[in-house]
């Protein structure tokens, strides 16, 4: 056989029993979920800032980072809702390279899925304890949802996953805000079809069970730029892009029209320092257009303690081992600038 079955992994309930979420944090998550929901549905005028490392590769550095976010979030809480980005899974275009702490707790050692599942859950719990903010993660593997469903307040579905039927159906059972990124081709229709699918109920097989879902009305789009047939990055955060998206949203009559702008990836051509300029352009366009102001509910920013990135094994504390990120100094200044521009 082509598959070698190495070990049977614990169920989500078994991992939750081993690493329970304290009741005080469960109450905090419920409150945060409602706040974020109110932004997506237009009941709350605050702006979402989903910010953090490209990949959460080291718990000590990640907890240091989110601890720095906490006092900043407190200062801007009347205008912004800060959602730490703790991405424990890392999609790889070719399948090669570091795939995130959920698969490989130590980037310099072999994958260990059991250790990865516990590392993923414990990191999210420790992060909430450290900063008092519930976090965002990418659901690269839908089967992992059960291990963190009681911890996350925001879920992203990546550009390579958004066309996948299993991802779409699984999101229809989520009860938190869920962002569907545009595919790498940049096709808005594919992205909006994914939102439509996730907003509606479904009947399918999930983790060995026949299940039904009610649909997730908080599903929305995330614009992350695209790649042309020639391999060039194509941006989709400009004024004209958002106006075209508004037209398409209206044509499909989707619930709770909302968009998050990912300032890195193909929108910046992975030139991480450009995120500052891109976010400020987004905020400017919200200021000059009521339609854009109503649709664009937040931004995603890749940020860590040290700017740029490094190779696995260089051991520079708080520096990304995947895509390059803004450093803390620039990130803090940008958060305050976003707050000032959210009028």
């Amino acid at each position: 056989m082509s598959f070698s079955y190495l070990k049977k992994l614990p169920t989500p309930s078994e991992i939750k029993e081993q690493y329970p979420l304290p009741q005080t944090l469960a109450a905090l998550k419920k409150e945060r979920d409602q706040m974020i929901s109110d932004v997506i549905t237009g009941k709350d005028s605050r702006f979402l800032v989903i910010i953090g490392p490209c990949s959460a590769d080291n718990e000590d550095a990640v907890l240091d980072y989110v601890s720095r976010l906490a006092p900043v979030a407190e200062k801007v809480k009347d205008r912004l809702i800060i959602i730490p980005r703790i991405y424990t899974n890392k999609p790889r275009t070719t399948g090669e390279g570091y795939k995130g702490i959920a698969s490989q707790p130590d980037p310099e050692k072999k994958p260990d899925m059991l250790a990865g599942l516990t590392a993923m859950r414990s990191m999210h719990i420790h992060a909430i304890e450290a900063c008092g903010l519930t976090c965002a993660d990418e659901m690269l593997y839908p089967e992992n949802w059960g291990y963190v469903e009681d911890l996350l307040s925001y879920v992203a579905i990546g550009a390579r996953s958004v066309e996948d039927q299993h991802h779409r159906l699984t999101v229809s059972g989520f009860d938190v805000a869920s962002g569907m990124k545009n595919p790498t081709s940049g096709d808005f229709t594919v992205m909006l079809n994914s939102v439509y699918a996730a907003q509606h109920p479904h009947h399918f097989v999930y983790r060995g069970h026949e299940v039904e879902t009610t649909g997730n009305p908080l599903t929305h789009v995330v614009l992350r730029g695209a790649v042309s047939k020639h391999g060039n990055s194509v941006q989709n955060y400009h004024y004209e892009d958002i106006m075209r998206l508004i037209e398409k949203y209206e044509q499909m009559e989707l619930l709770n029209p909302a968009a998050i702008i990912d300032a890195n990836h193909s929108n910046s051509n992975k030139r991480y320092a450009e995120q500052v300029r891109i976010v400020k352009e987004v905020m400017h366009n919200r200021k000059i257009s009521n339609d854009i102001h109503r649709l664009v509910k937040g931004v995603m920013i890749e940020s860590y303690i040290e700017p740029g990135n490094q190779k696995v094994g260089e051991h520079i504390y708080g520096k990304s081992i995947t895509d390059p990120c803004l450093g803390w100094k620039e990130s803090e200044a940008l958060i305050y600038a976003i707050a000032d521009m959210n009028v």
Side-chain angles (χ1 to χ4, degrees):
M1 293 179 63
S2 299
F3 285 85
S4 296
Y5 291 85
L6 305 177
K7 68 177 76 169
K8 185 173 178 61
L9 295 172
T11 64
S13 60
E14 290 170 338
I15 293 287
K16 286 178 181 175
E17 188 174 332
Q18 188 177 2
Y19 296 91
L21 179 68
Q23 282 300 314
T24 53
L25 299 188
L28 171 65
K29 175 179 151 48
K30 184 177 181 181
E31 180 184 351
R32 294 259 303 166
D33 288 355
Q34 187 61 55
M35 288 162 48
I36 295 166
S37 171
D38 286 347
V39 172
I40 298 297
T41 59
K43 298 175 184 176
D44 190 325
S45 63
R46 285 180 290 180
F47 195 69
L48 304 178
V49 178
I50 305 162
I51 185 168
C54 174
S55 56
D57 61 287
N58 178 285
E59 182 169 309
D60 289 343
V62 168
L63 296 185
D64 182 351
Y65 177 86
V66 300
S67 296
R68 299 180 189 207
L69 271 183
V72 178
E74 180 65 22
K75 290 177 183 177
V76 299
K77 66 180 181 181
D78 59 325
R79 287 165 287 173
L80 308 180
I81 297 175
I82 304 295
I83 308 174
R85 171 192 162 108
I86 298 183
Y87 279 27
T88 57
N89 298 273
K90 176 65 181 175
R92 312 304 307 200
T93 304
T94 65
E96 293 293 322
Y98 175 64
K99 297 181 178 65
I101 203 168
S103 301
Q104 200 174 351
D106 187 331
E108 297 180 63
K109 294 182 180 178
K110 292 181 179 180
D112 186 333
M113 302 301 173
L114 174 56
L117 290 175
T118 58
M120 173 176 68
R121 184 167 175 84
S122 63
M123 180 189 288
H124 274 291
I125 292 174
H126 293 155
I128 303 171
E129 291 172 336
C131 66
L133 305 170
T134 47
C135 305
D137 202 344
E138 179 175 349
M139 202 49 52
L140 182 59
Y141 305 107
E143 295 84 356
N144 283 352
W145 170 243
Y147 296 103
V148 290
E149 64 182 338
D150 58 332
L151 307 178
L152 301 181
S153 285
Y154 188 94
V155 177
I157 302 300
R160 299 165 189 81
S161 304
V162 73
E163 297 187 64
D164 176 62
Q165 183 83 337
H166 193 43
H167 281 82
R168 293 177 174 192
L169 301 189
T170 304
V171 174
S172 74
F174 292 178
D175 58 359
V176 296
S178 303
M180 300 296 215
K181 290 196 173 186
N182 62 263
T184 52
S185 67
D187 191 322
F188 278 11
T189 301
V190 167
M191 174 178 63
L192 289 166
N193 283 341
S194 185
V195 172
Y196 181 94
Q199 287 191 351
H200 287 75
H202 294 285
H203 190 137
F204 59 104
V205 174
Y206 181 74
R207 291 189 62 90
H209 294 269
E210 183 178 3
V211 301
E212 284 185 337
T213 59
T214 58
N216 180 357
L218 301 177
T219 311
H220 56 274
V221 305
V222 179
L223 301 184
R224 48 86 73 199
V227 180
S228 74
K229 66 180 180 180
H230 302 296
N232 300 319
S233 289
V234 180
Q235 290 70 44
N236 60 12
Y237 62 87
H238 296 301
Y239 182 97
E240 294 79 9
D241 299 303
I242 308 303
M243 296 305 292
R244 183 166 67 90
L245 176 61
I246 290 170
E247 289 181 13
K248 287 192 168 291
Y249 247 120
E250 291 173 349
Q251 291 167 7
M252 294 192 68
E253 299 181 346
L254 295 164
L255 300 172
N256 304 317
I260 304 293
I261 309 301
D262 179 345
N264 214 14
H265 297 99
S266 291
N267 269 334
S268 69
N269 196 20
K270 295 190 178 181
R271 295 193 294 265
Y272 69 93
E274 290 295 302
Q275 293 182 96
V276 175
R277 178 189 59 78
I278 291 167
V279 167
K280 289 181 178 179
E281 178 178 325
V282 170
M283 300 307 292
H284 172 73
N285 288 337
R286 290 181 82 244
K287 191 173 183 178
I288 64 174
S289 167
N290 288 333
D291 290 335
I292 292 178
H293 192 280
R294 281 191 294 269
L295 184 74
V296 177
K297 308 286 189 179
V299 289
M300 285 185 177
I301 301 164
E302 290 195 314
S303 156
Y304 213 173
I305 296 170
E306 297 297 332
N309 62 347
Q310 63 180 319
K311 294 179 180 178
V312 173
E314 290 189 45
H315 302 295
I316 300 173
Y317 179 78
K319 193 169 188 175
S320 175
I321 61 170
T322 47
D323 289 349
C325 299
L326 281 180
W328 173 249
K329 181 180 177 181
E330 297 80 9
S331 301
E332 182 181 19
L334 180 56
I335 292 171
Y336 290 133
I338 295 169
D340 289 341
M341 296 179 77
N342 186 35
V343 294

